[in-house]
Amino acid sequence: MDNCRILRDGHIHSPYCPHGTKDPFELYIENSLKLGLKEITFTEHMPLPGNFMEPEFLKECAPSQDVIENYIKELESIKDKYKFDIKINIGFEVDFIEGYEAIIKDTLNRYGDKIEDSILSVHFIKVEDEYYCVDVSPDEFGKIVKKLGSVEKVYDSYYETLLKAIKADLGLYKPKRIGHPTLIRIFNTEYPFEYKNRRLLEAIVKEMKINNYEVDFNTAGIRKPYCKEPYPSGILAELVEAYGINIVFGSDAHTALDVGRDFIKYAGELE
Ligand SMILES: [Zn+2]
Ligand SMILES: [Zn+2]
């Protein structure tokens, strides 16, 4: 079956994700093989750099250090088991947390030699001295809007943080791919807004170009009930294309069934 020209899924979670499913690696891999994928990266969330928010909440966001050690160990043997069938990369999705750059760099240095592919994502923004997670729920998003005064200001804050992430010194093992760069649109059907600050978006894309970063073309947004579009979209997607930034498809699967999801819809336009 000629089901897709995209042969790689660069953004997949795992049974080690605290907010994901317990689907075993084998199930993700079997589904990848069925789709004809030739290469996949498991990008489990890297342990977070400290308790910058409610610890109970943060525990749900990313695995702890001990758990991530097991993730790497298990993947090393799984990789070997499937080596004749598919290329499997051991990876991380690394959170950029403003103010915690040094700790993030230390964590990356600790695991760097085991990590073959990775993504740098912004899920948290710092407002004054507080941190907010942007993709929890429409209600939580509403709180950020209230705090900052408008949806536009929330977008400003997100994209300013993204620019800082791209410029940050996270050391030798800093990821080369930027995760779901328009994640801030995750609740856009509830908070409709078209962001037009081309100057800031262009600064982001220029910085990606200078540093030779890639973009995670993330199809998870299509499945999100208040989003219905991939990341990136709109002006940012146009700029990514105009600047010739390389894109890597990512399903952001947290369940084996979502591997390679919706790639075919965009394959023709973007490859
Ligand atoms: Zn996740
Ligand atoms: Zn993410």
Side-chain angles (χ1 to χ4, degrees), residues 75-267:
L75 261 184
E76 280 169 343
S77 79
I78 296 262
K79 232 177 110 75
D80 192 56
K81 183 172 153 193
Y82 287 94
K83 68 181 168 197
F84 298 114
D85 306 312
I86 188 165
K87 184 174 191 300
I88 300 172
N89 302 307
I90 304 178
F92 274 160
E93 179 175 13
V94 177
D95 260 291
F96 174 75
I97 313 292
E98 189 180 347
Y100 284 80
E101 293 82 352
I103 305 175
I104 298 167
K105 187 172 171 177
D106 281 353
T107 313
L108 278 168
N109 285 341
R110 182 168 321 137
Y111 301 111
D113 61 340
K114 307 239 192 263
I115 297 302
E116 301 160 304
D117 185 25
S118 57
I119 292 176
L120 181 66
S121 299
V122 173
H123 304 99
F124 300 91
I125 55 172
K126 188 179 182 203
V127 182
E128 291 160 12
D129 280 335
E130 278 180 314
Y131 290 87
Y132 291 87
C133 184
V134 302
D135 62 340
V136 179
S137 66
D139 276 1
E140 288 298 312
F141 191 90
K143 286 182 194 165
I144 315 174
V145 174
K146 212 169 158 197
K147 174 86 183 174
L148 280 167
S150 69
V151 177
E152 183 174 18
K153 288 194 171 128
V154 179
Y155 276 60
D156 280 337
S157 172
Y158 186 81
Y159 290 124
E160 281 158 12
T161 309
L162 191 61
L163 183 57
K164 285 177 190 162
I166 297 168
K167 288 183 169 178
D169 171 16
L170 300 178
L172 194 59
Y173 300 108
K174 183 177 179 184
K176 285 299 221 181
R177 188 152 76 255
I178 306 304
H180 45 60
T182 53
L183 178 70
I184 199 62
R185 292 186 53 73
I186 188 166
F187 304 120
N188 79 81
T189 63
E190 298 299 282
Y191 295 91
F193 183 68
E194 204 196 325
Y195 191 71
K196 294 212 171 105
N197 186 349
R198 187 175 275 271
R199 186 197 51 79
L200 178 53
L201 298 178
E202 193 155 6
I204 289 169
V205 177
K206 271 187 186 160
E207 200 62 29
M208 287 182 190
K209 187 76 186 173
I210 292 166
N211 291 292
N212 211 13
Y213 288 160
E214 304 177 311
V215 161
D216 169 42
F217 185 83
N218 189 305
T219 58
I222 302 169
R223 315 192 283 277
K224 301 283 181 195
Y226 304 108
C227 187
K228 313 268 189 202
E229 61 183 38
Y231 317 114
S233 64
I235 295 174
L236 191 53
E238 287 166 26
L239 287 167
V240 162
E241 204 192 342
Y243 276 81
I245 308 285
N246 194 37
I247 60 159
V248 176
F249 274 68
S251 64
D252 211 342
H254 285 72
T255 159
L257 269 178
D258 283 342
V259 171
R261 189 91 179 255
D262 292 320
F263 285 10
I264 187 94
K265 279 190 194 164
Y266 295 90

